[in-house]
Amino acid sequence: MKRPRILIFMAVIVISFVNFSHVLAGYSIPETVRVGLCYNSTAMSVVDISSDGGIDILVHKDNAYDKMMTIKDSGTIKVIKDGYYTFSNGVYTLQDTMQGADAGPYHLKVGDYNNLDEAMAVISELKSEGMDAFLAYNSGYEVWVGSFIDPTHINLQGVSGTLVDGIEDTILVKKDGNTLMAFVNTAGSELYFKPVGGCIYEMGKPYRGDISFLRNDPGGITVVNILPLEEYLYGVLPNEMPATWPEEALKAQAVAARTYAVYNILYSNKFKSIGFDVGCSTDSQVYKGKSSESQATNKAVDATRGIILEYQGKPIEAFFHAHSGGYTADISDIYSLTSPVFTGKKDPYSIGYAPSYDNWSVTYSADDILKKVMPTKGDIGKISSIDVTRSYTGRVLEMDIKGTKGSAKMEKNEIRNTLGLKSTLFDIESDSDIYVMNSSGLVERKMPGDISLVGGNSGINVYAGGNLYTMGYNIIKEIPFFPSVFTLNGSGYGHGVGMSQYGARGMADNGYGFVDILKFYYNDISVYDTIRDKDI
């Protein structure tokens, strides 16, 4: 009997020390993710929703779900921002004023009710009298009548109530021209659609999971897809990396995408205030739902299920980009951050697959550049010179555009966004370039506005204007004082931080596995299998 007791004691000791760093980190992998489909500039006035197996309409509040009704057929449900609108041939069109509107945001609240059954009984009675009565949820059950354009001209014989204005916070649910319910978006609540079977369709596109609606944007309705984390990745992977790429590259991308999502669910506040964890575009990672899925990318997600990247026992924000240009960025090259995980390094694996990313060139006139910087930097006059400061990775950290009326300084990713460049890994040339030797014997590129001249008794003077001329063997070249053309020659595509997707492809083609790829692009990380509770 002694041997079993010893074995049990040893097992307890082993279990108590397994993955101790993860226990200390105090997090668990979330099962679901909230994905913004329509938000900010893409918030919707009217959203079309359907499902092959019907839809349960619920209110989600305080982690509880209260079912309002079930739509049993596959017909289209219209979710509408309350306001002034016209209705023609099944199409609702929102407008800013009451002029020409068929309906408006004013409703008559008949009463409050203790439960759904009481409210629905009142609605049935009012409808039998020809009233446009419908359920409303405003932190409780209410019955409303009508959608009136002018609040001063409401005349419903035999019906009294309180006037409600829904223009700021109300969502209407309609079908076949009839109002099914109204939802007043109070803090912590959301209108929630759950498919009875199959997928749910938003604007004709199929999505796994459920969809919710929030009135937290003045421009319209915020639409959120709530689904299991792993199924979310099915809709991300083929939109971030071609399904035809090598399996190990796809697996590396799956782990990076999963880790990025987990980090944002647990730690990021980027979208929390508007009701979700991650966006569906390049502001997070690209997600297009079920219709974009492929067998190869789903296989890569399944093969890496539960695997994430950690640094010191916590998930990292696993940045990735298309093409490093041969040298990845230090995170401080792009953002006001530092991290030992994201330091720059030579990356030969990205080169050779995409010539338009390996090397690219764009030419702008001086006027083109001025037009690009003027909205944020103002009028700086004619450009006299452009100076740049670089990181050890070769990426441009600062660009100083000097003009006759001032200067425009841009930093890091602002440079790329303002000028519309593929990356910040570039050199710049102009038709006013002069190459001079500095006091250290190094050759530097200068423009006429940057140089000083030595002459006669006047000493050293800053060159003040007029064209310059340089003389070579049988050649005299005129150099304009004010440059008129700039050529930017660069490499790479994207911010350059973390994993290069083309580099992952290159490493996979060279026989590296997904763990090798991830450990090359993310420094000092652990590739952690949360299901088997071990590092790979």
Side-chain angles (χ1 to χ4, degrees):
M1 295 295 291
K2 290 183 179 180
R3 187 180 298 274
R5 288 180 182 174
I6 293 172
L7 289 174
I8 292 170
F9 177 75
M10 290 176 66
V12 171
I13 294 296
V14 170
I15 290 170
S16 68
F17 282 96
V18 165
N19 198 29
F20 192 61
S21 64
H22 307 299
V23 174
L24 287 177
Y27 77 91
S28 58
I29 303 301
E31 294 182 1
T32 61
V33 60
R34 296 175 61 90
V35 189
L37 299 182
C38 307
Y39 49 95
N40 296 338
S41 63
T42 63
M44 303 282 283
S45 296
V46 181
V47 188
D48 290 352
I49 300 290
S50 62
S51 175
D52 294 334
I55 291 175
D56 283 337
I57 300 178
L58 310 99
V59 170
H60 178 212
K61 185 176 182 180
D62 299 329
N63 295 319
Y65 297 86
D66 191 355
K67 187 162 80 169
M68 302 290 108
M69 62 188 68
T70 297
I71 306 302
K72 296 181 179 181
D73 60 61
S74 60
T76 299
I77 300 169
K78 303 280 187 179
V79 180
I80 300 174
K81 169 189 172 184
D82 202 1
Y84 300 103
Y85 54 88
T86 60
F87 177 65
S88 178
N89 297 320
V91 177
Y92 292 90
T93 304
L94 269 289
Q95 56 189 50
D96 295 330
T97 67
M98 65 171 67
Q99 189 67 36
D102 294 322
Y106 300 102
H107 317 279
L108 194 66
K109 174 186 167 183
V110 175
D112 299 282
Y113 302 91
N114 294 323
N115 57 59
L116 182 60
D117 289 339
E118 284 185 13
M120 296 306 292
V122 173
I123 291 168
S124 179
E125 181 180 348
L126 290 171
K127 283 189 172 183
S128 69
E129 297 173 4
M131 301 289 182
D132 176 24
F134 49 89
L135 176 68
Y137 190 92
N138 183 9
S139 298
Y141 304 104
E142 300 177 356
V143 173
W144 292 2
V145 174
S147 293
F148 304 103
I149 299 169
D150 187 347
T152 64
H153 290 79
I154 298 176
N155 184 17
L156 294 174
Q157 289 187 345
V159 179
S160 61
T162 304
L163 185 68
V164 176
D165 181 355
I167 201 163
E168 295 291 337
D169 56 9
T170 301
I171 297 171
L172 301 179
V173 180
K174 290 178 171 283
K175 189 173 186 295
D176 301 326
N178 299 311
T179 303
L180 301 180
M181 71 169 288
F183 170 75
V184 181
N185 201 167
T186 56
S189 67
E190 62 184 340
L191 183 63
Y192 201 95
F193 282 22
K194 180 183 288 291
V196 175
C199 292
I200 192 166
Y201 293 80
E202 185 264 345
M203 303 306 289
K205 292 178 61 177
Y207 291 90
R208 296 174 182 264
D210 308 328
I211 286 182
S212 74
F213 309 90
L214 297 157
R215 275 293 303 272
N216 55 18
D217 188 290
I221 298 170
T222 297
V223 183
V224 181
N225 185 199
I226 305 98
L227 73 165
L229 175 62
E230 297 297 317
E231 294 182 11
Y232 157 71
L233 296 173
Y234 291 160
V236 169
L237 203 57
N239 300 295
E240 288 291 357
M241 183 174 281
T244 56
W245 280 18
E247 181 179 1
E248 294 302 306
L250 293 174
K251 288 158 73 175
Q253 180 65 64
V255 175
R258 179 181 296 107
T259 307
Y260 183 88
V262 168
Y263 178 91
N264 278 272
I265 295 168
L266 295 178
Y267 306 121
S268 175
N269 293 316
K270 184 175 182 180
F271 299 110
K272 287 290 193 294
S273 65
I274 52 176
F276 52 91
D277 303 311
V278 292
C280 63
S281 186
T282 52
D283 55 8
S284 290
Q285 44 193 4
V286 180
Y287 168 73
K288 295 186 178 180
K290 194 174 189 302
S291 61
S292 67
E293 294 176 14
S294 79
Q295 183 177 355
T297 51
N298 284 8
K299 179 182 176 183
V301 172
D302 292 341
T304 61
R305 181 175 294 269
I307 299 175
I308 63 169
L309 306 177
E310 289 188 337
Y311 176 72
Q312 295 184 343
K314 287 188 175 183
I316 67 170
E317 189 169 13
F319 296 108
F320 51 87
H321 60 280
H323 192 298
S324 71
Y327 211 114
T328 64
D330 190 296
I331 196 169
S332 64
D333 293 349
I334 307 299
Y335 306 111
S336 298
L337 300 169
T338 59
S339 170
V341 174
F342 301 105
T343 57
K345 63 171 63 178
K346 289 183 179 179
D347 173 24
Y349 303 106
S350 293
I351 307 299
Y353 292 98
S356 63
Y357 296 164
D358 289 349
N359 295 286
W360 51 262
S361 181
V362 61
T363 298
Y364 292 132
S365 69
D367 286 342
D368 290 336
I369 292 178
L370 289 172
K371 288 176 183 176
K372 290 177 181 293
V373 302
M374 190 176 293
T376 56
K377 306 298 180 181
D379 182 9
I380 63 169
K382 295 183 69 173
I383 297 175
S384 58
S385 67
I386 297 181
D387 298 320
V388 297
T389 303
R390 298 182 185 280
S391 158
Y392 71 91
T393 67
R395 293 177 187 270
V396 176
L397 296 177
E398 183 178 273
M399 175 179 283
D400 186 5
I401 306 174
K402 295 175 182 176
T404 55
K405 296 181 182 179
S407 64
K409 289 186 178 181
M410 298 183 291
E411 294 185 348
K412 302 180 180 182
N413 225 28
E414 178 190 13
I415 301 166
R416 176 183 165 219
N417 294 334
T418 301
L419 298 182
L421 305 177
K422 292 179 180 178
S423 75
T424 55
L425 187 60
F426 65 87
D427 294 317
I428 185 168
E429 300 175 347
S430 81
D431 57 348
S432 290
D433 286 353
I434 302 169
Y435 292 89
V436 299
M437 185 176 292
N438 66 21
S439 59
S440 301
L442 300 175
V443 175
E444 294 181 333
R445 183 188 66 84
K446 297 289 185 180
M447 294 182 185
D450 295 324
I451 66 173
S452 300
L453 300 179
V454 179
N457 297 325
S458 59
I460 300 175
N461 298 286
V462 175
Y463 185 57
N467 292 352
L468 292 175
Y469 297 87
T470 59
M471 183 177 293
Y473 182 71
N474 290 332
I475 295 176
I476 296 177
K477 182 181 178 182
E478 181 180 7
I479 301 172
F481 182 79
F482 291 107
S484 62
V485 177
F486 295 88
T487 299
L488 290 77
N489 300 305
S491 299
Y493 189 87
H495 52 62
V497 179
M499 186 181 75
S500 166
Q501 291 165 316
Y502 273 98
R505 176 185 178 182
M507 290 188 72
D509 281 345
N510 280 277
Y512 291 98
F514 78 95
V515 175
D516 300 316
I517 295 169
L518 294 166
K519 288 188 173 182
F520 176 79
Y521 286 107
Y522 303 102
N523 301 319
D524 300 326
I525 52 98
S526 298
V527 181
Y528 172 53
D529 187 332
T530 63
I531 296 173
R532 295 166 184 82
D533 197 19
K534 67 176 184 178
D535 292 335
I536 300 176

